[in-house]
Amino acid sequence: MNPLKELRQRFRAALEPLVEDLEDLLEMVRPSQDPRFGDYQANCAMPLGKRLGKAPRELADQIVARLEVDDMCEPPEIAGPGFINLKLRSDWLAARLQDAVKDTRLGVAPVETTRTYVVDYSSPNVAKPMHVGHIRSTVIGDALCRILRFAGHRVISDNHLGDWGTQFGMIIYGYKHFRDESAFAAAPVAELCRLYQLVSQLVDYHETRRCLGDLERRVTEREEAAVAQEAEPLPVAGAERKRAAKRLRGLKAQVAEAEADLSQARKKLARVEQSPALNQLATEHPEIAQAVLRETARLHADDPENLALWHQFLPQCCEDIQRLYDRLDVCFDYAHGESFYQQRLSHVVQDFLDRGLACLSDGAVCVFVEGFETPMLIRKSDGAYLYATTDLATIAYRMETFHPDAILYVVDHRQAEHFEKLFAAVRLWGHTDVELQHIRFGTVLDQKGKPFKTRAGDTVGLEGLLDEAVRKAYGVVSANDDAKPGGAELDEAQRRHIAQVVGHAAIKYADLSQNRTSNYVFNFDKMVALEGNTATYMQYSYARTQSIFAKGDVDVDRLRDADAAISLEHPAERALGRELLQFPEAIDECLLDYRPNLLTGYLFQLARRFSEFYQQCKVLQAETESVRTSRLILCGLTGRVIRRGLDLLGIQVVDKM
RNA sequence: GCGCCCAUAGCUCAGCCGGAUAGAGCAGCGGACUUCUAAUCCGCAGGUCGCAGGUUCGAAUCCUGCUGGGCGUGCCA
């Protein structure tokens, strides 16, 4: 049972005779923020008073008089200007807890109307090794899928792989010119990866070489502009003076930016030029960028040789990525990459043209969308298609194949405008009865606050990151085990297993516990810190629930069926019990705006309540047998809610830590 | 230039479709280990919620302006 939902139902009955249109009033029934005001509070008397022109306190009296909550709550109290404070009765709490104990869904009722969701997330470029930038989409997307499924929805997870772009032209070119036959035979994935990076570096080298003059010129121009601005006499008046100062600051920042770009470009060049081998390759392949594009174009034109290579390489590339998904415990129903939609692209463009939704401009096919100055391009002037084209084709396919009620895109916030245009174009195209959501999240930043760059080289590989987290977790697990008063309890294999679970969880949780819309500063130490609001704290709490059963030799399942009474005499018991009953509320809240951090927040609160309870209430040595049983049941339910909650986040638990 | 996002404790952040005295974690200080696992708990200290107006019985939350930062901005994804 969802207590909040139940209370709102009761308020609905009480308010209906008083007022029409009461949905917004019902939303004002909510959990109290301060325990002194009870468990829930209704704030609807004040706005209602305004609406009806009556005194809010008087209305609160009327509402309370009609409110039938005797079975559920202590007598409601009216406070301040007209707050209605509600405290749940302990016997009601205890009865609902018993319901939850017997319920495999822990009191979370399936949604009344099942919807079909397509969730599009992770979407790595299969030619490149996955790096830290892929974490957020993968982890958040996976968590949302799990939560939606648990809530009772039909969920189709789809990994929109980047498997058809220039990166394959690079690999193909590299394979044809640079491959090391024996390395390829021994470890094809690693060799393909090397080839990609080599070609990418050479392309980059020539591109940078070509732009160097522009970069130098830009620095000079900006310096001159800044000097000129500085030479201007400052206006005397306040606002004008401020504006001038701001302009100067802006110009100086631009100079710094240009200088940084230039110095980075020079470093890039030096890296190649200082290596005789690379330098030679660069000299031998001056037109490599164009050659790569030609290989890509041949692939797209169904050239038999390149297509065969693509068919050979694709599974090998995916193998590498799959290993990471296995480690992360992430899986997809479908992995329809860009290549899957190739045949449809020309039809999409033609359809837009035929219906007059798109037009030609400078040789490119454009969809103009209201509210945006710049159009969405769906075909380049050279005839090539763009990712917007693929996105449109993908939506059409999903609509006819899955008939979804909603499609969620778990993608970096920097693509917000792209999605706004895309969604608008889809509406023009006629798909109006589907919820399209860009589940945006903040960029992963480095320590300096700069976005991780995919090309710049210095990205942290995802695999190494996971290894490091596991390594750190191993250290902490061992230290904790060694420090146990009765001596260490875990053997080497157990420690390693626990370190795997704890390390991976640390990385996922660090991401999920943050509001997805804010930027995510990548901080290794913070990620794997094993204290505070972390997965480890939750996992530890879970392990403690299990260790009580082990120590007391208690059969949890038998206890569950025993129908024993639950007592909530101690404040810590009551607080824990109420928290446990709010699991359904946490799920609801979380799905309202697709924000997993609301679920982590709930779990953290629950784990804290449990720690308090654990500290203050002896379980195995409880005063009486019935209190002991009651507390054991609370421990059992706590363990199940934590385990289930973490499972919904894609995080596992262990019985001993 | 235009558009979008952000600004809350020393640090990292939560709270943001209006509710009572703004919350956590980390760091700091002081307590609690003959432990049902101290990876814990209790207490203290820490704040002009960027600034200025406005709407309201009531604003961190909504509106306007400003300041500071980030991102995006027709043929990359």
Side-chain angles (χ1 to χ4, degrees):
Chain A
M1 148 122 29
N2 181 328
L4 181 58
K5 217 179 236 176
E6 178 66 22
L7 270 175
R8 284 181 176 164
Q9 286 304 325
R10 311 272 182 121
F11 269 88
R12 179 187 295 278
L15 285 167
E16 251 160 6
L18 289 174
V19 64
E20 292 172 30
D21 189 23
L22 39 73
E23 293 309 318
D24 55 327
L25 297 176
L26 292 178
E27 298 212 347
M28 292 179 191
V29 181
R30 51 175 58 206
S32 293
Q33 302 202 343
D34 190 318
R36 284 179 303 120
F37 305 134
D39 299 311
Y40 293 87
Q41 62 182 58
N43 303 334
C44 45
M46 284 82 80
L48 188 58
K50 183 117 224 164
R51 216 194 282 180
L52 302 179
K54 291 187 183 168
R57 278 201 74 113
E58 202 176 295
L59 275 166
D61 277 328
Q62 286 183 38
I63 295 168
V64 167
R66 292 173 195 275
L67 190 63
E68 291 181 23
V69 289
D70 294 355
D71 58 318
M72 189 175 175
C73 301
E74 306 286 345
E77 288 174 12
I78 299 168
F83 295 106
I84 301 170
N85 292 333
L86 300 154
K87 188 174 177 195
L88 297 174
R89 286 170 52 149
S90 288
D91 56 349
W92 187 85
L93 276 175
R96 296 294 78 74
L97 282 168
Q98 272 170 322
D99 296 341
V101 165
K102 286 189 199 137
D103 182 1
T104 54
R105 296 180 53 89
L106 304 163
V108 182
V111 286
E112 286 121 28
T113 44
T114 299
R115 305 177 81 210
T116 297
Y117 282 87
V118 172
V119 186
D120 184 320
Y121 62 102
S122 198
S123 310
N125 190 324
V126 297
K128 308 179 193 176
M130 287 180 81
H131 60 86
V132 61
H134 294 111
I135 286 183
R136 299 210 83 179
S137 176
T138 306
V139 167
I140 293 170
D142 179 56
L144 289 177
C145 286
R146 289 166 182 263
I147 298 165
L148 285 166
R149 278 201 186 102
F150 179 61
H153 295 293
R154 173 180 175 232
V155 177
I156 294 144
S157 58
D158 189 10
N159 195 359
H160 194 71
L161 297 169
D163 62 359
W164 195 246
T166 315
Q167 72 275 18
F168 269 97
M170 290 194 187
I171 293 187
I172 290 170
Y173 186 89
Y175 184 82
K176 288 181 177 174
H177 295 87
F178 307 131
R179 80 170 176 275
D180 177 333
E181 202 65 67
S182 62
F184 185 73
V189 178
E191 176 61 5
L192 290 178
C193 194
R194 183 189 74 86
L195 290 172
Y196 170 78
Q197 278 164 350
L198 175 62
V199 174
S200 168
Q201 191 175 16
L202 293 176
V203 169
D204 220 24
Y205 171 80
H206 288 296
E207 170 72 9
T208 308
R209 175 103 290 199
R210 209 172 49 74
C211 296
L212 196 63
D214 288 345
L215 287 173
E216 286 166 345
R217 223 165 300 132
R218 207 175 63 186
V219 171
T220 318
E221 278 168 17
R222 289 186 177 179
E223 271 171 356
E224 282 167 3
V227 169
Q229 175 70 35
E230 205 156 19
E232 295 262 325
L234 272 178
V236 190
E240 277 300 308
R241 192 188 173 92
K242 262 188 198 165
R243 211 154 299 162
K246 187 182 173 183
R247 204 152 42 225
L248 181 58
R249 266 203 311 280
L251 288 170
K252 283 189 172 169
Q254 284 191 353
V255 171
E257 193 186 312
E259 280 171 345
D261 287 350
L262 180 59
S263 109
Q264 191 163 19
R266 285 186 171 139
K267 267 187 225 157
K268 224 181 264 176
L269 295 178
R271 222 172 292 157
V272 170
E273 282 159 5
Q274 281 164 11
S275 152
L278 280 177
N279 203 20
Q280 192 187 337
L281 290 180
T283 315
E284 288 170 5
H285 299 265
E287 304 285 305
I288 189 167
Q290 294 87 324
V292 162
L293 286 180
R294 274 198 300 275
E295 296 292 3
T296 311
R298 260 182 228 147
L299 172 66
H300 290 179
D302 292 342
D303 171 76
E305 185 188 6
N306 281 10
L307 205 55
L309 287 175
W310 182 81
H311 277 295
Q312 184 189 350
F313 296 155
L314 183 64
Q316 293 172 325
C317 291
C318 288
E319 200 179 291
D320 208 36
I321 288 170
Q322 189 55 45
R323 196 177 58 247
L324 275 165
Y325 287 142
D326 289 344
R327 281 189 75 168
L328 287 171
D329 192 20
V330 169
C331 64
F332 298 89
D333 297 317
Y334 298 95
H336 289 156
E338 292 165 343
S339 62
F340 183 83
Y341 302 98
Q342 274 314 296
Q343 306 306 319
R344 301 164 171 264
L345 300 185
S346 58
H347 300 111
V348 169
V349 173
Q350 198 54 52
D351 198 30
F352 267 81
L353 285 168
D354 290 348
R355 297 200 204 184
L357 302 172
C359 61
L360 272 161
S361 167
D362 297 332
V365 178
C366 300
V367 180
F368 282 90
V369 175
E370 209 184 319
F372 293 93
E373 278 188 41
T374 56
M376 184 172 78
L377 269 64
I378 57 175
R379 196 178 69 199
K380 298 203 280 183
S381 48
D382 68 1
Y385 301 107
L386 295 113
Y387 75 137
T389 329
T390 313
D391 281 344
L392 286 170
T394 305
I395 289 175
Y397 173 81
R398 286 172 176 165
M399 291 307 293
E400 65 200 44
T401 310
F402 304 119
H403 309 289
D405 298 294
I407 305 177
L408 310 183
Y409 293 85
V410 188
V411 179
D412 194 307
H413 78 278
R414 283 175 293 191
Q415 292 191 38
E417 195 171 316
H418 162 67
F419 282 110
E420 282 180 52
K421 286 182 185 168
L422 177 69
F423 296 163
V426 170
R427 302 296 182 212
L428 288 176
W429 209 16
H431 298 291
T432 47
D433 53 350
V434 59
E435 175 191 347
L436 297 167
Q437 287 275 1
H438 174 205
I439 310 298
R440 65 180 73 184
F441 55 80
T443 314
V444 179
L445 305 175
D446 62 21
Q447 306 285 14
K448 282 176 270 176
K450 295 284 178 196
F452 266 85
K453 287 169 190 148
T454 35
R455 289 216 193 137
D458 298 312
T459 50
V460 183
L462 189 46
E463 187 138 45
L465 186 74
L466 297 180
D467 290 341
E468 182 65 3
V470 170
R471 199 182 63 77
K472 294 209 177 198
Y474 179 83
V476 179
V477 168
S478 300
N480 184 62
D481 191 41
D482 289 337
K484 281 178 187 162
E489 297 172 5
L490 306 170
D491 62 34
E492 184 58 20
Q494 285 175 309
R495 286 187 182 190
R496 286 191 185 285
H497 172 67
I498 295 164
Q500 288 281 332
V501 174
V502 171
H504 290 134
I507 285 189
K508 286 187 171 188
Y509 191 90
D511 194 321
L512 292 168
S513 60
Q514 185 158 346
N515 184 332
R516 61 176 168 77
T517 59
S518 23
N519 282 343
Y520 181 68
V521 177
F522 174 76
N523 180 328
F524 203 90
D525 288 324
K526 196 188 161 194
M527 246 183 193
V528 297
L530 303 176
E531 54 211 3
N533 183 7
T534 62
T536 319
Y537 177 61
M538 243 73 75
Q539 291 171 316
Y540 180 66
S541 301
Y542 175 79
R544 292 212 287 196
T545 65
Q546 301 308 296
S547 113
I548 287 178
F549 300 134
K551 196 134 227 162
D553 198 21
V554 177
D555 182 342
V556 203
D557 294 330
R558 237 192 56 207
L559 216 101
R560 198 185 301 172
D561 302 328
D563 234 349
I566 293 174
S567 83
L568 303 170
E569 294 291 315
H570 195 287
E573 289 173 320
R574 188 185 186 283
L576 176 61
R578 194 198 66 178
E579 205 69 41
L580 285 166
L581 279 185
Q582 289 178 321
F583 187 42
E585 295 176 15
I587 304 272
D588 278 0
E589 277 293 307
C590 175
L591 286 182
L592 208 59
D593 196 26
Y594 311 107
R595 291 191 317 192
N597 72 304
L598 296 181
L599 182 53
T600 66
Y602 165 78
L603 291 173
F604 180 56
Q605 185 72 7
L606 175 63
R608 289 180 50 116
R609 295 265 184 258
F610 178 71
S611 284
E612 287 161 26
F613 161 84
Y614 187 87
Q615 200 82 17
Q616 293 174 37
C617 301
K618 289 289 168 201
V619 178
L620 293 175
Q621 288 100 49
E623 308 84 71
T624 68
E625 188 59 28
S626 66
V627 171
R628 181 176 187 268
T629 306
S630 165
R631 288 180 179 169
L632 280 168
I633 292 172
L634 283 177
C635 288
L637 186 57
T638 303
R640 287 167 65 205
V641 172
I642 291 178
R643 187 175 55 200
R644 170 69 83 171
L646 289 177
D647 175 65
L648 294 180
L649 300 169
I651 291 171
Q652 297 167 356
V653 292
V654 287
D655 287 350
K656 283 166 97 175
M657 299 178 67

